Amino acid sequence: MTYFDYNSTTPLNRAAKDALFDAVHGQWANPSSPYKVSARARLALEKARENLAARLHGKGTGIVFTSGATEANNSVIRYLAEILPREKGLAISAIEHPSVMEPAHHFFKGRLELLPVSQEGVLDLNHFRAVMATGRLGAVSVMAANNETGIIQPWHRVAGLCREGGVAYHCDASQWFGKSLDYRFENCDFLVGCSHKFGGPKGVGFLVLSENWYGFRALFGGPQEGGRRGGTENIPGILSMVSALGWADRHREGILAQKDHRDVFEERLLKGIPGMKCVGKSVPRLPNTSFIVLPNYENLRWVTKLDVRGFQVSTGSACATGKTGRSPTLRAMNFARGASRRTIRVSSGPQTDRESWADLAEAFLEIWQSLKPDGSCDGLTEVISV
Ligand code: PLP
């Protein structure tokens, strides 16, 4: 099996596995209980918080551990809806993950602005500036990198403009950690990370608050997480997540090397499959992600045939798989409906090697040949607006 769906989820990395095993055995106690074994669990939890804060150049007091990015994103949007004056709205990019998009529509009905992206999938900064200038915004949410295309957003610029304008900035950086060298988050008011995207376990994540927003509350019902999120902490998950990020950061060269492997893979496919497109080739992208539009045949056919050959790839985001219709990201990028059904996302991990990428390219070409034994290529003439 050669796994190429790291943007969906990752296997546990070695440090995450060791930490999880140790914590399941050694740190099972409730950190809020009044005896020694619990005090040790509490200490381990606070050490993990400080360790994460140091990694992000932030303060431990601003970190809230959550059950993942979906919970963190939902909680932030709901909290902002409660706290902002009624006349202030929220602007989000039109390519946000559903865990931002859906709560934004729900909690900010009538005061939500969708920020457009270019056909290459990058936020339109001029439009954003114009929306900021209206003075109507209380908060902005723009992700760091898109989960489907891997396209990096100008989130540093957005964060700076928000800070200048006194508008709260929320950044879903779920696809950023472990794939980027740049951990400068100083202008983010709400920063979200997701463990299982960087080699940690599922069901755990974090939210980092700027000092302006220390009053944030997500879940009521207990004093945990400084009263911001009631509920017994998932200590094994948290310790494993923080170790996973440490491992990912120490192995950054592995993820950066993916760019070269990915580029060779794309060149091979572009030569061998006439009419194929690679999305976002001319803009900054995550080094591990290739988002392609095939000239023919529904993506699920390709995915199944690749799976039979031992390669796991996806049609887009896992959340969108099985849903009918275009994903909001593809719609925002003006993809024709037909093209949306021919997209494939390939995403690798820090230990994916050159040979695996080369084998994947060969598998694509083999399938292309088997699907079109006469070499003809129906559907090629369709205009793909990417
Ligand atoms: N945000 C982005 C950009 C994602 O890619 C994902 C993962 O699918 C999520 C949020 C949701 O993360 P979680 O599975 O931790 O809830």
Side-chain angles (χ1 to χ4, degrees), residues 7 68-70 73 97 99 143 145 147 172 174-175 194 196-197 319:
N7 286 12
T70 300
N73 288 336
H97 187 269
S99 60
M143 67 198 331
N147 44 301
D172 176 1
S174 297
Q175 296 290 345
C194 166
H196 71 102
K197 309 290 184 186
C319 307

Side-chain angles (χ1 to χ4, degrees), residues 7-9 66-73 95-100 143-148 172-175 192-197 202-205 317-319 345:
N7 286 12
S8 162
T9 196
T66 68
S67 69
T70 300
E71 180 198 310
N73 288 336
I95 56 167
E96 291 300 307
H97 187 269
S99 60
V100 172
M143 67 198 331
N146 184 263
N147 44 301
E148 287 180 74
D172 176 1
S174 297
Q175 296 290 345
V192 171
C194 166
S195 157
H196 71 102
K197 309 290 184 186
K202 288 163 233 335
V204 58
S317 73
C319 307
R345 179 185 66 190

Side-chain angles (χ1 to χ4, degrees), residues 1-152:
M1 152 179 155
T2 311
Y3 185 68
F4 275 98
D5 200 12
Y6 276 74
N7 286 12
S8 162
T9 196
T10 60
L12 289 182
N13 66 32
R14 170 173 285 160
K17 247 184 238 168
D18 290 348
L20 189 61
F21 184 85
D22 289 350
V24 163
H25 290 277
Q27 303 293 6
W28 50 267
N30 188 331
S32 301
S33 296
Y35 26 76
K36 263 198 258 164
V37 63
S38 292
R40 277 203 295 276
R42 200 155 55 240
L43 198 67
L45 177 67
E46 293 317 314
K47 254 175 89 175
R49 199 185 307 279
E50 288 307 324
N51 185 338
L52 179 61
R55 213 160 266 300
L56 308 181
H57 312 293
K59 288 192 185 141
T61 38
I63 291 179
V64 184
F65 291 119
T66 68
S67 69
T70 300
E71 180 198 310
N73 288 336
N74 267 263
S75 310
V76 170
I77 304 291
R78 201 214 63 229
Y79 177 74
L80 288 168
E82 267 172 26
I83 206 101
L84 291 174
R86 282 298 307 168
E87 68 277 9
K88 292 287 182 186
L90 169 72
I92 68 171
S93 84
I95 56 167
E96 291 300 307
H97 187 269
S99 60
V100 172
M101 186 68 78
E102 291 185 21
H105 278 286
H106 182 79
F107 291 112
F108 278 88
K109 207 174 265 169
R111 48 179 182 144
L112 177 67
E113 187 100 34
L114 283 190
L115 301 168
V117 297
S118 67
Q119 287 207 335
E120 282 286 22
V122 183
L123 186 84
D124 179 341
L125 270 176
N126 288 334
H127 186 101
F128 172 66
R129 281 198 192 88
V131 174
M132 280 288 280
T134 62
R136 286 198 309 263
L137 294 184
V140 168
S141 179
V142 173
M143 67 198 331
N146 184 263
N147 44 301
E148 287 180 74
T149 60
I151 291 168
I152 293 174

